[in-house]
């Protein structure tokens, strides 16, 4: 399926216009190029020579840090040299060295003015452009010098090009080289002068700083002895700070030892209260207790063995029990000693922590007492360090300048990398390239004028169908243009129509209705009208075709749409040939160029219903329906939609009544779809919609029946003609 072009331009007509005008344009281009060539050949030749210098980092500079080198090579530094090359002082030196003020090429006062110059001077004097100010000879020479001088720096480069133009090729090369050499010599002389000035300025500062540094060191040592503040150690810290650090470390260790002893003692207490003191690790590690436990076990075993044969009162039994009690008392005594030793260890750890803490507090008080002296000492030391650093910096700079001054090897930031040479090829004028460019420009400009005029003629002579971007985005091409724009209908005053009791306008004939619709005030876009019958059985095909023809005869661009989802609409009843219609358009299966056709013997256009659609909801998508109707609004003055009452109501509700007129065709004496109350159409309350009623006559009904009977036998042209 092909889509129509958004702008219907007759490319063939435009090409024919270009082809007709092309010989004249070619001749005009040749004449213009020839005239330009003739004029350019009469102009004096000028030659351009170029010298190049490079900005580099000075190798003998005293400051070779990354920041210093970068600052000498950055974009701003290169631009500074570029501006220096165009300084007026340097220009005056070159003018004097090359005697340019004695050259008529640069000094207008030395040459006879041409007739053109005389005329320009008269015009300037008459209009008082100069306000009575006479330019000096020096300013005139400078202006001519700068006009022929071009100093530039390519992007992302530290090279500066010096171009000079003159009618004498040797003079152009000499001036470019002179500028580069003079500027380089200025930098060298400036560096030597700066070196001597720096040496003279640095010596007094160094002598003064040497005395100040010595005095600051003496003040620091004197204050140390006076405040009894001494420093030592690898970090050169004060004794108080060292003592505080050692005590803090010792306190940390004492706290850890006390915590461990307290935890151990607490565990022992809990095991003693539970009667598990023999399970203590220290008890189990004691050889004495382990020996006593073994003896107790042997006695207990003997008691157990003899209890089977001896009575409890037997002397042997009594002796064994006495031995057992003694062993238990001895074990308990030894365990108690171990527990007491653990408790003493915890107490000793607490005492040691308290002692260390007390010593730390005393050291803190001592450090606080000497805090002011130490702060003053740090201040004196900082002053001494600052003065010593400044002295070292000045001494290093003085030494570097001394070496440079002794060697007279001053670093130069600008190096000449290419000298200018006289050229035999003039830079201006170039008659042949310039003439070709002028001829091509004339040809292209003429083609643009011819094409623009052809497009405007096409726009005035053809129907202005605007592109519909929204429709194209949804797969709908813009409506095609089938005929040129007919002459606009002449607006005339039409008498108002009579109204019935609910305000509906009564129309006696289709012709009167066409006049009222065509002459109805319109906004931007097409005027939409819905034509339906008073009941579902009423077919309004004949009235729709007649109304479309009548509006087309009045000079309007009108299109008739057959709205019938089931496919049995106007085309079927009138015997129109089968082809894709509005149903396929809304489903995206066809474009406007596939569905729009012309009503025979009329300037009106027609879109049939197309193939039946089972799911009517697919056609009632408001976005697609509005999109299609909006596209038609841009191409037609009048959009007429004909449908039966039931499907008309569904469409009317789907697009929220976006119509300008509602027309009901009724049989004589019947109202049907007409409202019983004002402001209603097809059961919906409406506003700003013109409502019309057309009542069929008996003659119209007989003609329609006869047309329906012969619809299958005659051609479309015969039936609709």
């Amino acid at each position: 399926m092909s889509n129509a072009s958004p702008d219907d331009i007759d490319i063939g007509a435009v090409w024919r216009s270009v082809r007709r005008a092309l010989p004249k344009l070619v001749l005009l281009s040749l004449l213009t190029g020839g005239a330009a060539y003739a004029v350019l050949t009469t102009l004096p030749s000028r030659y351009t020579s170029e010298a190049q210098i490079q900005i580099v980092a000075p190798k003998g500079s005293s400051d070779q840090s990354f920041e210093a080198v970068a600052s000498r090579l950055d974009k701003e530094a290169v631009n500074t040299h570029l501006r220096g090359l165009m300084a007026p002082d340097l220009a005056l030196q070159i003018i004097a060295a090359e005697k340019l003020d004695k050259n008529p090429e640069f000094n207008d006062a030395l040459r006879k003015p041409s007739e053109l110059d005389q005329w320009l001077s008269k015009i300037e004097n008459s209009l008082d452009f100069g306000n009575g100010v006479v330019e000096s000879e020096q300013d005139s020479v400078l202006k001519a010098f700068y006009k022929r001088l071009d100093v530039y720096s390519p992007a992302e480069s530290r090279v500066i090009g010096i171009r000079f133009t003159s009618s004498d090729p040797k003079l152009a090369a000499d001036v470019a080289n002179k500028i580069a050499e003079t500027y380089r010599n200025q930098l060298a002389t400036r560096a030597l002068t700066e070196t001597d000035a720096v040496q003279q300025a640095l010596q007094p500062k160094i002598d003064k700083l040497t005395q100040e540094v010595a005095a600051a060191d003496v003040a620091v040592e004197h204050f140390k002895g006076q405040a009894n503040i001494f420093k030592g150690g690898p970090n050169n810290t004060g004794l108080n700070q060292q003592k505080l650090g050692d005590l803090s470390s010792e306190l940390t260790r004492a706290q850890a030892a006390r915590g461990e002893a307290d935890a151990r003692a607490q565990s022992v207490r809990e095991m003693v209260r539970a009667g598990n003191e023999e399970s203590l690790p220290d008890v189990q590690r004691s050889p004495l207790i382990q020996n006593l436990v073994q003896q107790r076990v042997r006695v207990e075993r003997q008691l157990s063995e003899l209890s089977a044969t001896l009575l409890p009162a037997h002397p042997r039994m009594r002796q064994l029990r006495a031995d057992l009690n003694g062993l238990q008392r001895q074990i308990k005594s030894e365990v108690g000693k171990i527990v007491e030793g653990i408790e003493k260890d915890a107490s000793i750890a607490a005492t040691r922590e308290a002692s260390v803490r007390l010593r730390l507090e005393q050291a803190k008080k001592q450090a606080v007492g000497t805090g002011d002296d130490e702060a003053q000492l740090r201040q004196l030391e900082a002053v001494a360090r600052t003065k010593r650093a400044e002295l070292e910096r000045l001494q290093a700079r003085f030494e570097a300048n001394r070496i440079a001054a002794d060697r007279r090897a001053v670093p130069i930031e600008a190096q000449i990398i290419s000298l200018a040479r006289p050229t035999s090829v003039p830079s201006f004028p170039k008659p042949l390239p310039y003439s070709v460019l002028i001829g091509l420009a004339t040809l292209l400009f003429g083609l643009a004028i011819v094409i623009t005029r052809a497009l405007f003629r096409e726009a005035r002579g053809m129907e202005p169908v605007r592109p519909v971007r929204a429709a194209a985005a949804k797969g709908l091409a813009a409506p095609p243009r089938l005929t040129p724009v007919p002459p606009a209908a002449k607006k005339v005053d039409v008498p108002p129509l009579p109204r019935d009791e609910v305000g509906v306008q009564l129309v006696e004939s289709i012709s009167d209705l066409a006049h009222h619709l065509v002459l109805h005030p319109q906004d931007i876009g097409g005027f939409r009208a819905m034509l339906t019958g008073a009941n579902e059985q009423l077919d309004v095909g004949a009235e729709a075709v007649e109304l479309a023809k009548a509006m087309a005869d009045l000079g309007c661009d009108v299109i008739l749409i057959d709205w019938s989802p089931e496919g049995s609409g106007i085309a079927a009843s009138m015997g129109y040939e089968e082809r894709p219609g509005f149903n396929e358009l809304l489903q995206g299966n066809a474009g406007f160029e596939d569905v729009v056709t012309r009503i025979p013997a009329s300037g009106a256009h027609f879109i049939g219903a197309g193939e039946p659609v089972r799911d009517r909801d697919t056609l009632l998508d408001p976005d697609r329906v509005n999109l299609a109707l909006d596209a038609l609004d841009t191409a037609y003055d009048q959009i007429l939609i004909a449908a039966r009452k039931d499907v008309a109501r569904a469409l009317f509700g789907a697009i929220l009544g976006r119509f300008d007129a509602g027309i009901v065709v009724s049989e004589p004496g019947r109202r049907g779809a007409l409202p019983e109350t004002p402001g209603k159409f097809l059961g919906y309350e409406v506003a700003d919609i013109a409502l019309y009623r057309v009542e069929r006559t008996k003659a119209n009904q007989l003609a329609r029946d006869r047309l329906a009977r012969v619809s299958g036998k005659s051609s479309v042209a015969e039936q609709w003609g």
Side-chain angles (χ1 to χ4, degrees):
M1 179 180 66
S2 61
N3 293 331
S5 173
D7 292 317
D8 294 321
I9 300 298
D10 191 352
I11 302 299
V14 175
W15 168 245
R16 288 191 294 272
S17 299
V18 172
R19 189 171 56 186
R20 288 193 300 269
L22 189 59
K24 298 179 181 178
L25 292 177
V26 171
L27 179 60
L28 178 62
S29 301
L30 294 176
L31 293 176
T32 306
Y37 184 85
V39 172
L40 291 173
T41 52
T42 61
L43 297 178
S45 299
R46 292 182 181 179
Y47 302 86
T48 301
S49 295
E50 178 178 352
Q52 293 182 348
I53 62 175
Q54 181 182 6
I55 307 303
V56 296
K59 297 181 180 179
S61 177
S62 59
D63 190 359
Q64 287 293 317
S65 62
F66 176 79
E67 292 78 7
V69 174
S71 65
R72 293 174 180 267
L73 299 179
D74 61 7
K75 176 176 60 177
E76 288 77 11
V78 174
N79 289 336
T80 301
H81 287 286
L82 191 145
R83 299 303 301 174
L85 287 165
M86 300 182 65
D89 293 341
L90 178 61
L92 291 175
Q93 291 184 32
I94 303 302
I95 291 172
E98 298 294 330
K99 298 180 181 181
L100 299 181
D101 53 341
K102 308 299 183 181
N103 191 332
E105 182 182 356
F106 297 90
N107 193 345
D108 295 339
L110 300 179
R111 70 172 182 266
K112 182 180 179 180
S114 62
E115 295 183 0
L116 179 61
D117 294 336
Q118 294 177 1
W119 278 103
L120 293 177
S121 178
K122 291 180 180 180
I123 295 174
E124 181 179 352
N125 294 332
S126 62
L127 297 178
D128 197 18
F129 283 161
N131 296 324
V133 179
V134 179
E135 188 178 36
S136 65
E137 182 178 347
Q138 186 183 68
D139 291 340
S140 176
V141 175
L142 275 175
K143 182 186 297 184
F145 178 83
Y146 283 123
K147 185 177 180 180
R148 291 162 173 79
L149 176 63
D150 180 20
V151 181
Y152 71 98
S153 176
E156 306 297 331
S157 172
R158 295 191 292 271
V159 174
I160 297 178
I162 305 171
R163 291 177 179 172
F164 196 79
T165 302
S166 174
S167 58
D168 183 0
K170 184 177 183 304
L171 179 62
D174 292 343
V175 172
N177 292 332
K178 193 68 175 180
I179 293 174
E181 293 171 356
T182 304
Y183 184 72
R184 186 175 183 277
N185 293 334
Q186 283 185 354
L187 292 179
T189 305
R190 186 187 312 161
L192 287 173
T193 304
E194 291 177 355
T195 300
D196 296 337
V198 168
Q199 293 295 96
Q200 295 176 4
L202 285 180
Q203 188 61 52
K205 294 182 180 180
I206 291 175
D207 296 340
K208 182 180 178 181
L209 273 177
T210 302
Q211 298 176 2
E212 292 179 355
V213 169
D217 291 338
V218 171
V220 169
E221 297 301 329
H222 178 71
F223 186 81
K224 284 182 180 179
Q226 182 180 1
N228 195 22
I229 299 176
F230 300 98
K231 294 183 179 181
N235 297 326
N236 196 26
T237 57
L239 297 180
N240 290 333
Q241 283 76 13
Q242 295 182 21
K243 186 176 182 180
L244 285 175
D246 295 341
L247 289 175
S248 297
S249 300
E250 187 176 355
L251 178 61
T252 301
R253 291 191 295 270
Q255 288 175 342
R258 180 189 175 184
E260 183 180 356
D262 288 343
R264 184 181 176 191
Q266 180 65 25
S267 176
V268 168
R269 296 189 196 100
E270 293 177 356
M271 295 184 70
V272 170
R273 285 195 297 269
N276 298 328
E277 60 272 12
E278 294 184 6
S279 300
L280 291 173
D282 293 342
V283 173
Q284 293 180 355
R285 287 194 298 267
S286 174
L288 177 59
I289 295 177
Q290 293 300 321
N291 188 23
L292 292 174
V293 170
Q294 291 176 1
Q295 294 178 19
R296 185 186 65 184
V297 171
R298 286 196 299 270
V299 172
E300 288 176 349
R301 186 171 60 251
Q302 291 176 4
L303 278 174
S304 177
E305 292 174 355
L306 293 176
S307 62
T309 58
L310 298 178
L311 294 175
H314 192 275
R316 180 59 179 165
M317 295 291 291
R318 293 172 64 185
Q319 179 63 36
L320 290 173
R321 281 196 295 271
D323 293 341
L324 180 61
N325 291 333
L327 289 172
Q328 289 179 344
R329 284 193 301 272
Q330 191 174 358
I331 291 172
K332 187 173 183 180
S333 174
E334 292 299 329
V335 170
K337 291 178 182 180
I338 292 175
V339 172
E340 184 179 357
I342 293 174
E343 294 286 351
K344 286 182 180 180
D345 291 342
S347 177
I348 292 171
T351 304
R352 183 172 178 274
E353 179 190 358
S355 175
V356 175
R357 190 181 300 278
L358 179 61
R359 290 163 56 194
L360 181 61
E361 294 296 330
Q362 292 175 354
K364 287 181 179 179
K365 292 179 181 179
Q366 185 178 358
V368 171
T370 60
D372 295 340
D373 294 337
E374 291 184 352
Q376 188 173 356
L377 176 62
R378 288 194 296 270
Q379 184 177 4
L380 292 174
E381 291 176 342
V383 172
R385 285 194 302 271
T386 302
K387 291 182 177 295
R388 186 176 294 104
E390 180 65 17
L391 177 61
E392 292 174 354
R393 188 183 67 82
L394 291 179
Q395 287 176 342
R397 185 178 177 186
F398 182 86
E399 185 65 19
N401 280 275
R402 184 186 65 79
I403 295 173
D406 291 343
R407 295 178 179 176
R408 288 302 180 192
V410 180
I412 304 299
E413 297 182 5
Q415 295 181 356
I416 299 176
I417 61 175
S418 176
L419 290 174
R421 63 178 184 83
T423 178
S424 59
V425 180
S427 59
F428 179 86
K430 296 182 178 180
L432 184 59
Y434 291 173
S435 301
V436 172
L437 290 177
I438 293 174
L440 288 177
T442 304
L443 178 61
L444 294 177
F445 187 70
L447 286 175
I449 295 177
V450 171
I451 293 174
T452 303
R453 292 179 59 186
L455 291 176
F456 273 109
R457 285 197 301 269
E458 287 294 313
R460 288 194 300 268
M462 298 302 293
E463 178 184 22
V465 179
R466 296 184 295 272
V468 186
R469 292 186 174 89
K474 289 282 188 175
L476 299 176
R481 177 168 59 251
L482 298 180
T483 59
V485 176
K490 184 178 180 181
K491 302 297 183 180
V492 296
D493 294 333
V494 185
L497 295 173
R499 298 177 181 268
D500 59 9
E501 62 275 9
V502 294
V504 177
Q505 302 179 75
L506 303 178
V507 184
E508 295 182 356
S509 65
I510 296 298
S511 177
D512 293 343
L513 177 59
H515 278 82
H516 278 273
L517 293 178
V518 170
L519 300 176
H520 195 283
Q522 300 182 27
D523 297 328
I524 299 175
F527 185 85
R528 302 180 185 178
M530 168 71 80
L531 179 65
T532 185
N535 52 63
E536 287 78 1
Q537 292 75 29
L538 194 61
D539 185 2
V540 296
E543 287 81 5
V545 173
E546 184 180 357
L547 180 58
K549 288 183 176 182
M551 287 190 291
D553 293 340
L554 292 176
C556 284
D557 299 327
V558 59
I559 186 168
L560 172 61
I561 299 176
D562 182 7
W563 173 251
S564 178
E566 65 277 8
S568 58
I570 297 175
S573 63
M574 304 302 293
Y576 203 91
E577 62 179 355
E578 295 183 0
R579 62 180 298 160
F582 205 60
N583 296 343
E584 286 80 4
L585 180 68
L586 294 181
Q587 296 178 87
N589 298 328
F592 281 105
E593 71 279 5
D594 301 320
V595 300
V596 177
T597 185
R598 183 184 295 109
I599 296 178
S602 172
H605 293 172
F606 173 69
I607 298 180
E611 294 294 329
V613 178
R614 295 182 179 180
D615 186 6
R616 185 180 299 180
D617 294 337
T618 59
L619 299 183
L620 293 178
D621 181 7
D623 293 336
R624 295 197 64 86
V625 175
N626 286 323
L627 193 62
L629 294 180
D630 290 342
L632 294 171
D633 283 339
T634 63
Y636 295 95
D637 300 328
Q638 298 283 341
I639 300 175
L640 180 61
I641 299 180
R644 294 196 326 273
K645 180 180 178 181
D646 55 345
V647 295
R649 174 180 170 79
L651 176 62
F652 192 84
I655 63 174
L656 302 179
R658 290 185 58 187
F659 286 92
D660 302 296
I663 308 167
V664 177
V665 178
S666 64
E667 296 178 348
R670 300 182 181 180
R671 297 177 59 95
L674 296 177
E676 299 295 338
T677 58
K680 281 193 173 184
F681 179 67
L682 294 174
Y684 293 99
E685 293 184 0
V686 296
D688 299 329
I689 295 181
L691 299 181
Y692 300 92
R693 177 162 64 92
V694 181
E695 187 173 298
R696 286 178 176 173
T697 62
K698 292 183 179 180
N700 290 339
Q701 183 65 34
L702 292 176
R704 181 181 177 280
D705 295 340
R706 183 171 59 255
L707 183 62
R709 285 195 299 270
V710 300
S711 60
K713 302 178 181 180
S714 58
S715 65
V716 175
E718 293 173 346
Q719 296 169 23
W720 289 22

